[in-house]
Every structure is written in structure tokens, then in C-alpha cells.
Amino acid sequence: MSKLYIVATPIGNLKDITLRALETLKEVDFIACEDTRHTQKLLQHYHIQKPLLACHQHNEKRSAQGLIKLLKEGKDIAYCSDAGTPGLSDPGAFIVAVCLHEEIDVIPIPGPSAFASLISVAGVPIHSVRFVGFLPQHGSKREKALLKFLEQQDAFLLYESPYRVDNLLQMLHLHAPGRFLIVGREMTKIHEEFLRGTAEELILLLKKRKLQGEFSILVASSPES
């Protein structure tokens, strides 16, 4: 029976891909991916040639039908998002749900994750953590969402773009000035950096840096929790 493989790919350093992921990408009949240009760079680095199928958040429902057709014809397919583990603030969940509904086997090929990478170097005790991913981009919904997670007192992890990270830190400074933050940027890349401190301290630090790439931000548990 054909299978859909959910393959985690590097978040930056191409050497972080697992042996099993490479083996899977070499053996499947097709590779579905969030951005064919991005995935093609990874495949070229490892001299892998496979037909690529675009399956991203804007066409996920439509492209899922084509993938199901191929799977029912006996073709094995790997799915990769641009970086990290599919389905974790990335496309992938819909095609998995459709495959499960059609009783097609879905196999995880675990590997890199910005979420797990930041927690591993946080240096603070974490008994439980909530994965939030991206907040709404604008307006009152953004602030209300942040306040909801702050009220729960537990640690939570956010992703943010370089264009909105200052706004996020400003909101954290306003509503939770005492919470300790761990920020990871350019993780596994040449300019990898981890910053720790309050929102006010991090605002000052980031003013001295050229902001690029997505940020991962761990908001530690409230001291009172």
C-alpha cells in the first residue's frame, strides 16, 4: 500500500537533515512541498532528483485531491514544508487529515524543529510549554491573543517575523515587563544568536542588530505560577 511520508527538513543548516529523511526522499515517487524552489535547493545539495508537486497554504485543499489520486495509484509521496516539521505552523495538516480519512498510511519522519531547538537551549526549567506559533498580524486580535496566553501564566513559544518582532516585544513589555524571554534568531545558520532577558532589555539589544529571518521567542513561566 502506498504511503504519505511527513518529512522534517533543516531550519537552516542543510547538514541537520536525518539519514532517514534522505533515504525517504530518495525512495518516494513524488515530493510534495510548500515551495518547490526552496525544496529544490535541498534536493540539489544531496543530488536527489524527484518530481516536485506544490502543496502550500493557498492551494492545499485543491492539491490534496491530486496527491490522493497518486497515492491511490500506488505512488509513495513525501511532504516537506520549507523548514522544520510540517504541520507545526506550516502546511501539512490538511493533506494528513484527508489521507487518514481515505485510510492511507501517514508516516512521520522526524527531525529539525525551531520549537524544540529553542527549548533545548533555553536554560530555564520547563515543566510544560504551550506552542502558539504566529499571533494574528494586526489590530486588537493580536493583542487579545497575547493577553490570553499571558493570563495562563505557563511558558509559551511564539514565532515572529523580523518586521513585527519589535511590536511583539513592545506588547510584552507593556503587559508582562517581568517575564523572562529567550529569543532565537537565525538558528543553525551562520549568524545564529540567542538572546535572554526581559522584553525591555531585548528591545534595546535588537535595536543594534540587523533583523532578518524568523524569530522564535520563548516566554518563560510567570514567577508566580
Side-chain angles (χ1 to χ4, degrees), residues 136-185:
Q137 293 185 11
H138 306 290
S140 60
K141 288 184 178 179
R142 179 173 170 83
E143 189 167 24
K144 286 179 180 177
L146 179 62
L147 287 172
K148 180 181 71 173
F149 298 118
L150 288 171
E151 288 170 359
Q152 295 171 6
Q153 306 298 315
D154 293 331
F156 60 95
L157 195 144
L158 302 159
Y159 290 160
E160 192 52 275
S161 80
Y163 309 107
R164 293 186 295 273
V165 68
D166 183 70
N167 170 265
L168 174 60
L169 291 173
Q170 294 288 353
M171 288 196 299
L172 285 166
H173 176 48
L174 175 64
H175 297 295
R179 295 284 280 269
F180 186 72
L181 312 177
I182 301 95
V183 172
R185 69 187 195 102

Side-chain angles (χ1 to χ4, degrees), residues 20 38 45 97 102 116 137 183 199 205-206:
R20 188 177 175 212
H38 190 95
H45 183 81
E102 296 288 339
Q137 293 185 11
V183 172
L205 286 173
L206 290 178

Side-chain angles (χ1 to χ4, degrees), residues 99-120:
C99 283
L100 295 176
H101 178 75
E102 296 288 339
E103 298 185 341
I104 295 170
D105 288 342
V106 180
I107 310 297
I109 308 297
S113 163
F115 171 78
S117 297
L118 185 60
I119 289 176
S120 72

